[in-house]
Amino acid sequence: MRSFLDLRQTAPEEIRGILAQAAAMKAARAGRAKGASDDVQPLKDRMVALIFEKPSTRTRASFDVGVRQMGGETLVLTGKEMQLGHGETIADTARVLSRYVDLIMIRTFDEASLNELAEHASVPVINGLTDASHPCQIMADVMTFEEKRGSIAGRKVAWLGDGNNVCASFLHAAGQLGFDFTFCGPPNLDPAAPAVAFARERGSKVAIERDPARAVEGADLVVTDTWVSMHDAVSTRERRHNQLRPYQVDARLMGRAGPGALFMHCLPAHRGEEVTSEVMDGPASVVFDEAENRLHAQKAIMRWCLGV
């Protein structure tokens, strides 16, 4: 039994195996659309619990569709329905759900909730997002980059804005897959120190740069994310906008990146804030390929967890 909790805890060769499986499944799906046979259903007669303490569009849709494409069924549970950790402990919830399902995906707030669930479950657990990390997203991002530009090893990724959970997982991937990472944002929003240390300890060149133009120089990939969370107070939103406005990704900034540089955003995007529509809809943008690849990457992650 293998859980997918964090890219730090997944060996580089395992990450590479999952990415190869994702690419193969995507190709098989494309072949099916052209009339080729695609009868493989590795999750036939399997039940997957999808737990959402945080609202979701892409995570919910991609996991639900992925399970169904592989012949399984889903049980979708929201925070209101479960009250995870309120009344019944997370450990007891894990023990009970393990009697009903074959795999659990959870999208939650506190990383401790994910870890407690995984510790007490007797089935694999997948991290669909926590406040600390978002490994499924980065698997899709790496898959997308390598579809377009080949191996990400030795490349430069530039991150603009808030050093949030997605940024942390990018740093974990940098350490595991051998690419360099430049963060550009205000000092109070720097990425988590342990994530930076993880990448550096494994040989990745990690730079903290305050000047956006210098940060993107020579970058093969430019990435940003929303400036505010759906749960942030109005005062927080206003402060974040003021802090992060200098780090907006626009056409002028993309023009300073390396030749053939790609642009990514995990979505949902606030056009005109962290990125302009000119970039979002421009030739460097692969945001919708990135969103599609959540489906394929997560299908491969589920197969890896279940060994099927």
Side-chain angles (χ1 to χ4, degrees):
M1 186 184 80
R2 297 181 289 197
S3 288
F4 187 79
L5 304 180
D6 199 305
L7 292 175
R8 292 173 299 182
Q9 302 175 43
T10 310
E13 59 270 22
E14 300 286 359
I15 293 172
R16 279 286 162 211
I18 293 169
L19 290 169
Q21 177 79 82
M25 295 185 76
K26 182 176 183 178
R29 196 75 190 170
R32 179 178 180 273
K34 297 174 183 177
S37 175
D38 180 25
D39 297 325
V40 178
Q41 293 195 311
L43 265 60
K44 182 176 173 57
D45 299 325
R46 305 284 186 125
M47 178 65 71
V48 179
L50 306 178
I51 301 174
F52 294 95
E53 285 202 295
K54 278 190 171 185
S56 168
T57 299
R58 274 152 295 279
T59 299
R60 179 165 180 165
S62 55
F63 267 105
D64 200 346
V65 170
V67 171
R68 293 169 188 268
Q69 285 184 356
M70 293 191 292
E73 296 186 47
T74 59
L75 172 66
V76 180
L77 300 165
T78 67
K80 289 182 179 179
E81 292 167 329
M82 293 192 67
Q83 294 295 302
L84 192 67
H86 301 282
E88 182 175 62
T89 67
I90 294 173
D92 286 348
T93 298
R95 294 182 181 105
V96 170
L97 277 179
S98 296
R99 303 294 183 98
Y100 301 151
V101 304
D102 302 286
L103 177 65
I104 300 170
M105 187 288 301
I106 182 169
R107 181 180 174 93
T108 187
F109 294 90
D110 192 349
E111 188 176 37
S113 297
L114 166 75
N115 292 332
E116 185 175 356
L117 188 77
E119 179 183 354
H120 296 280
S122 56
V123 298
V125 174
I126 294 173
N127 176 2
L129 175 142
T130 71
D131 288 344
S133 65
H134 197 358
C136 288
Q137 179 64 55
I138 303 311
M139 292 294 285
D141 292 355
V142 172
M143 178 181 178
T144 304
F145 182 88
E146 297 193 335
E147 283 180 339
K148 307 293 183 181
R149 297 290 185 265
S151 176
I152 198 168
R155 303 301 189 105
K156 176 183 175 180
V157 175
W159 177 281
L160 281 294
D162 179 10
N164 60 13
N165 52 354
V166 183
C167 181
S169 285
F170 245 121
L171 282 160
H172 298 156
Q176 298 287 49
L177 300 177
F179 59 89
D180 296 330
F181 191 90
T182 296
F183 170 82
C184 186
N188 63 309
L189 296 177
D190 279 352
V196 173
F198 178 88
R200 285 176 172 164
E201 288 166 2
R202 282 152 185 79
S204 175
K205 181 180 177 182
V206 179
I208 306 295
E209 172 60 62
R210 305 302 175 195
D211 180 355
R214 291 182 62 183
V216 302
E217 285 181 3
D220 300 287
L221 173 61
V222 177
V223 192
T224 191
D225 198 356
T226 54
W227 289 347
V228 294
S229 167
M230 65 186 75
H231 305 287
D232 286 337
V234 173
S235 59
T236 300
R237 290 170 182 265
E238 292 174 355
R239 185 171 66 253
R240 283 289 185 91
H241 278 83
N242 291 334
Q243 289 178 324
L244 291 168
R245 194 168 287 112
Y247 305 96
Q248 181 190 73
V249 180
D250 58 17
R252 182 180 177 185
L253 189 65
M254 280 300 302
R256 298 184 69 97
L262 299 177
F263 170 77
M264 289 189 188
H265 189 307
C266 68
L267 303 180
H270 297 84
R271 291 169 179 258
E273 294 183 10
E274 68 270 9
V275 60
T276 63
S277 288
E278 185 178 10
V279 172
M280 275 276 290
D281 299 325
S285 176
V286 291
V287 295
F288 298 109
D289 297 296
E290 186 185 359
E292 178 193 344
N293 282 340
R294 286 288 301 277
L295 170 67
H296 308 298
Q298 288 161 184
K299 286 167 69 174
I301 290 167
M302 287 187 279
R303 292 190 67 173
W304 177 80
C305 287
L306 293 168
V308 295

